């Protein structure tokens, strides 16, 4: 049975006066900055244009919109800006990887969050990584966890694409350290 008195105390979800279209981008961004999120590095290997051409490039991006979707089958979801290089690449390349970054890997997160300022080749310079057995994607050394994924589904969602991937391999390279968090527009450590 529905308790109507409890619902009377719930604030209205309608936009306030002056916001005919609802919440503004700035209001939404400020509200969501209060949600602490773990930081991951999403990577993929761009295949060469031809079999006799130069080796393809590694592509990477920092993400906080990443979550576990299902245990059976093992599925994860990452949100990609529509039309970004990673979004475009994962339209053609079904395999990708995720490295869950530690608090000591803040420099990696910052480097890969610098949109368009550094060439992809330089982004991976001096970062220890191995290649995934299945995806060929870079897996960051010392990360809390590394996953290799294959795209199962893509869902358009506003100005982003939600990519759902089946986890093909999982490893735990670093037994120590806490997670790198993102909160109120800054990278943070737990505690």
């Amino acid at each position: 049975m529905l308790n109507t008195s409890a619902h009377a105390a719930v604030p209205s979800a309608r936009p306030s006066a002056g916001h005919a279209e609802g919440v503004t981008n700035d209001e939404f961004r400020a509200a969501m900055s209060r949600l602490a999120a773990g930081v991951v590095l999403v990577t993929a290997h761009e295949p060469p244009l031809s079999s006799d051409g130069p080796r393809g490039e590694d592509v990477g991006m920092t993400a906080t919109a990443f979550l576990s979707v299902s245990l059976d089958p093992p599925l994860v979801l990452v949100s990609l800006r529509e039309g970004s290089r990673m979004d475009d690449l994962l339209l053609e390349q079904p395999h990708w990887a995720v490295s869950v970054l530690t608090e000591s890997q803040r420099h990696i997160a910052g480097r890969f969050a610098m949109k368009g300022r550094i060439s992809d080749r330089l982004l991976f310079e001096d970062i220890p990584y191995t290649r995934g057995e299945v995806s060929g994607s870079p897996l960051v050394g010392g990360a809390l966890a590394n996953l290799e994924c294959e795209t199962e589904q893509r869902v358009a969602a506003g100005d982003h694409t939600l990519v759902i991937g089946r986890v093909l391999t999982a490893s735990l390279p670093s037994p120590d350290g806490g997670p790198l968090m993102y909160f109120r527009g800054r990278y943070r450590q737990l505690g």
Side-chain angles (χ1 to χ4, degrees):
M1 183 166 157
L2 185 61
N3 181 344
T4 55
S5 63
H7 287 283
V10 176
S12 171
R14 288 184 220 145
S16 60
H19 296 295
E21 297 298 315
V23 67
T24 67
N25 289 352
D26 289 341
E27 290 168 336
F28 183 64
R29 183 177 289 116
M32 291 298 95
S33 76
R34 271 48 174 196
L35 176 64
V39 181
V40 301
L41 183 67
V42 180
T43 59
H45 183 72
E46 187 174 51
L49 296 175
S50 66
S51 59
D52 59 345
R55 188 172 151 253
E57 286 192 338
D58 293 321
V59 177
M61 62 164 269
T62 302
T64 56
F66 174 78
L67 58 104
S68 166
V69 173
S70 168
L71 187 59
D72 187 16
L75 299 174
V76 293
L77 178 148
V78 65
S79 179
L80 307 175
R81 186 175 39 83
E82 184 181 9
S84 67
R85 182 150 185 217
M86 186 65 73
D87 184 37
D88 291 344
L89 176 56
L90 295 189
L91 271 171
E92 299 176 21
Q93 165 62 282
H95 294 104
W96 44 283
V98 175
S99 296
V100 179
L101 300 180
T102 68
E103 57 198 5
S104 66
Q105 293 174 320
R106 177 185 305 214
H107 65 288
I108 295 172
R111 180 185 293 184
F112 282 87
M114 295 173 60
K115 301 177 188 106
R117 296 187 192 143
I118 302 175
S119 78
D120 287 314
R121 279 202 171 83
L122 293 176
L123 284 172
F124 288 93
E125 195 171 277
D126 77 6
I127 293 176
Y129 68 87
T130 58
R131 292 220 172 264
E133 296 173 24
V134 177
S135 67
S137 301
L139 301 170
V140 176
L144 290 174
N146 285 321
L147 309 170
E148 288 187 275
C149 307
E150 181 174 28
T151 299
E152 289 262 319
Q153 186 177 1
R154 295 173 56 89
V155 179
D159 59 1
H160 278 64
T161 303
L162 306 179
V163 179
I164 299 171
R166 181 184 291 259
V167 178
L168 304 175
T169 69
S171 62
L172 308 173
S174 178
D176 298 321
L180 180 61
M181 304 297 292
Y182 194 71
F183 180 69
R184 288 192 165 187
R186 293 179 39 207
Y187 296 116
R188 313 248 182 169
Q189 296 174 253
L190 272 183

